[in-house]
Amino acid sequence: MTTAPSASMLCVAALGMIAGLVPSLDWRPGTVTLETPMRLPAASQYLVGAEARRADTVLSGHTTESEAPEVDGWLRRLPPGGREGALRLILNHPAPMLRQRWLRVLFVQWTAASRPEALRAALAVGSPSLRLAALDAVLESWGERDARGAMTYALTLTDPMQQSYVMARLLERLAQSEPEVGVAWAVALKDPFQRSKALEQVAKARVLRDPLACLKWGRRVEDASERRVILGFAVAHLSQREPMRAFDAAMEEPDTVSRRELLTVAFQNVSFAHLPTALTWLRTHQAKLDVTLQPALRVLGATLANDRVQAAQLPLLAG
């Protein structure tokens, strides 16, 4: 009678066969060594390949707004080798708002990693509007780290529309973080049109931060047209929050043309929202009324004629 081999005998036999087939390896437990070392590719190669393979699934022409946050995260994690491919995918996406959104995400990250490469890629975008969006993102990221450098570069742009747009955006951000620096840059611009637009952007940002400080700054500006721009924003903002102060500020303007325009702005805002307040100010300032109030009074008359609800309150006010 033949006895079946045991499991331990079979295991030993199998190991012996393996040892005979692979003489260069020691089959016994211990350190395994090879005559020729195996070279494994760097992990970054796998990551780049994985991101490239995922690109069409993460961002395609079918990607919707609900998937936008996922694309945002993917763009922020992109390795350097994946940025140009991602840019092509963004530019080919059919939704304008999503293109604008993803261009900003991509170029902010790109600029932080390599500003020269980001600038080259932004300026190479074919569509003028998308090129402007990409350039704006580059300069926004640059300006957060080096506002002076970003402003200096913006002044070298040869396209007037590009220069005007990015300068206005840079000054608006600078006015929010460093108001005095923003004012200094705006005033230093040589071109009258650029300076006027720059002052407008600075005034917009500054009036939200501190309308009274904006009012004081405007009064120090010597050029009458530039002063009207700055004071116009200050008076318009004050008329929504402190209407009496807005009227007083407009009336104190020494330049006749500016005073007429500022009073008109104040009455337009206040009369529309609260007509009795405008009439109360008129009654308490009768001795100071002059010809510059004529446009403002026309605004007031139009409000009285067209707003019956507010006009009905006037007898109560008179009493």
Side-chain angles (χ1 to χ4, degrees):
M1 181 175 177
T2 304
T3 305
S6 65
S8 60
M9 292 176 62
L10 289 172
C11 181
V12 170
L15 290 174
M17 292 175 66
I18 293 172
L21 291 172
V22 191
S24 61
L25 292 177
D26 186 350
W27 60 270
R28 292 168 298 179
T31 304
V32 178
T33 57
L34 296 174
E35 293 179 359
T36 303
M38 183 182 297
R39 297 187 180 277
L40 296 175
S44 61
Q45 296 182 31
Y46 284 120
L47 291 174
V48 171
E51 291 292 351
R53 287 192 297 274
R54 288 187 62 214
D56 289 334
T57 57
V58 174
L59 175 56
S60 70
H62 303 292
T63 307
T64 63
E65 188 173 0
S66 64
E67 300 166 308
E70 181 185 356
V71 177
D72 292 349
W74 173 71
L75 291 171
R76 292 188 181 102
R77 295 190 304 271
L78 271 179
R83 293 185 184 121
E84 291 192 4
L87 176 58
R88 286 192 294 271
L89 291 171
I90 292 170
L91 295 177
N92 289 327
H93 195 277
M97 295 300 293
L98 291 178
R99 284 201 302 264
Q100 295 273 347
R101 169 179 177 153
W102 291 327
L103 278 175
R104 184 183 177 282
V105 174
L106 175 64
F107 276 99
V108 165
Q109 295 298 115
W110 204 335
T111 306
S114 175
R115 187 172 65 235
E117 289 184 10
L119 274 172
R120 175 190 56 77
L123 292 171
V125 173
S127 163
S129 62
L130 294 178
R131 187 188 314 130
L132 202 55
L135 190 59
D136 181 49
V138 171
L139 289 172
E140 176 187 352
S141 181
W142 186 355
E144 289 176 355
R145 296 165 176 78
D146 178 15
R148 184 179 296 274
M151 295 283 288
T152 303
Y153 173 79
L155 288 171
T156 67
L157 293 171
T158 56
D159 185 313
M161 185 179 72
Q162 284 183 357
Q163 188 186 82
S164 178
Y165 179 81
V166 297
M167 282 292 293
R169 296 273 289 163
L170 282 169
L171 282 167
E172 184 179 1
R173 298 184 192 108
L174 192 58
Q176 291 172 351
S177 58
E178 300 179 74
E180 296 303 327
V181 178
V183 170
W185 269 100
V187 172
L189 293 173
K190 303 298 183 186
D191 182 84
F193 176 76
Q194 281 191 343
R195 186 169 59 252
S196 178
K197 295 296 290 182
L199 286 170
E200 183 178 325
Q201 292 300 323
V202 172
K204 280 182 182 178
R206 200 168 184 187
V207 76
L208 294 174
R209 185 185 180 102
D210 188 344
L212 294 180
C214 185
L215 193 64
K216 291 177 182 177
W217 163 49
R219 286 174 175 160
R220 294 196 302 269
V221 174
E222 295 181 2
D223 184 272
S225 62
E226 292 176 357
R227 187 168 62 249
R228 281 199 297 274
V229 170
I230 299 165
L231 292 178
F233 282 109
V235 168
H237 188 77
L238 280 171
S239 63
Q240 298 171 17
R241 297 169 177 263
E242 300 179 67
M244 293 299 189
R245 190 189 289 269
F247 288 132
D248 291 340
M251 200 65 189
E252 290 167 6
E253 169 59 29
D255 180 73
T256 304
V257 176
S258 297
R259 184 164 66 252
R260 182 168 58 241
E261 291 184 4
L262 294 175
L263 283 167
T264 303
V265 168
F267 270 90
Q268 282 176 335
N269 287 325
V270 178
S271 300
F272 179 78
H274 197 253
L275 182 59
T277 301
L279 292 173
T280 299
W281 184 85
L282 279 175
R283 288 176 61 188
T284 56
H285 290 73
Q286 288 180 11
K288 298 180 181 180
L289 301 185
D290 59 25
V291 70
T292 57
L293 265 170
Q294 286 181 354
L297 291 174
R298 283 198 290 269
V299 170
L300 192 59
T303 305
L304 283 168
N306 297 313
D307 192 334
R308 295 182 179 180
V309 175
Q310 291 207 72
Q313 302 176 27
L314 299 185
L316 297 176
L317 180 67

